[in-house]
Structure formats: C-alpha cells, structure tokens
Amino acid sequence: MKTLAMACGGREETLSGLSGVGDLMLTCYSSLSRNNRFGAALARGLSQQEACDEIGEVVEGFPTALEVVKLAKEKHLKLPLFSAVARLVSGDMKPKELMQKMLSSEPGEERFLG
C-alpha cells in the first residue's frame, strides 16, 4: 500500500494512521467488514457473484483490487500481493492454487521497477 501511495504522490505517514493501518486491520480481522466476508466466501468456494449476493451490500475491495493492478502497471510497480488478490477476485485462480504459487515464488520485496 505504501509503495503505491507514494508512487501516486501520497505521504508514507498517512498510511501509518487510522486511514491506512486502521482500515487494513478492520478489513483483515473484522467479520463486520464486507471485504473480509467477501474473501471468506471466496475461500469457501463461492463465485464472486455468489459472494456479493450473499453479502447483499457493495464490496469495494472487489473492483478496487482490479484497478490497483492497472494503476501499478501504469506506475511501473511490482506489487505481487495486490496482483495475487486481483487474480483471486477476478476468478483467474482458485485460493489453494494461488497460495501454492505465492509460497513457491522467490522471496523479494514490492518495489519500483522503473
């Protein structure tokens, strides 16, 4: 998140507060989060549409994940975790297949390419 924000002119410290870490923590750990429930539904094997239907509300992270990948390409960024999430939510890969691919890849950091 920090790499993308800074590449777009944002400030690193902005993501250290509630708008960054706080929002991320809520998304990751709260069952009240629509994005969290969406991810859990995909992990249970539901399709993207079935997951959205089950939640019954807008899931902002679904389309945002796809847009982040487009923006990263425009900014010449390598963001493998964001790319993995986009592949999952777009239906290109199943959760188990994606985890195997991620865990077998060479370790590295998300960084500027250009």
Side-chain angles (χ1 to χ4, degrees):
M1 284 175 35
K2 178 180 74 172
T3 300
L4 182 61
M6 291 175 63
C8 293
R11 294 176 32 200
E12 181 177 357
E13 57 269 15
T14 301
L15 297 175
S16 299
L18 290 177
S19 64
V21 175
D23 188 54
L24 180 62
M25 296 296 284
L26 177 66
T27 294
C28 291
Y29 297 113
S30 175
S31 61
L32 297 176
S33 163
R34 290 168 287 185
N35 292 321
N36 180 295
R37 289 184 284 153
F38 180 75
L42 293 180
R44 290 194 325 266
L46 286 144
S47 71
Q48 292 76 6
Q49 187 60 52
E50 290 168 334
C52 287
D53 290 346
E54 179 179 279
I55 293 164
E57 300 175 72
V58 174
V59 180
E60 298 94 347
F62 178 24
T64 301
L66 306 175
E67 291 302 315
V68 164
V69 171
K70 288 180 191 175
L71 184 57
K73 285 180 183 175
E74 289 174 18
K75 299 290 184 181
H76 306 288
L77 300 173
K78 181 181 178 186
L79 302 175
L81 186 56
F82 280 111
S83 297
V85 170
R87 292 192 75 186
L88 177 67
V89 301
S90 67
D92 289 344
M93 294 186 90
K94 298 288 184 197
K96 190 173 184 174
E97 176 186 15
L98 184 61
M99 284 302 298
Q100 289 171 342
K101 182 174 174 61
M102 291 290 293
L103 293 174
S104 66
S105 65
E106 288 294 317
E109 63 182 62
E110 298 191 355
R111 58 181 163 66
F112 289 97
L113 291 178

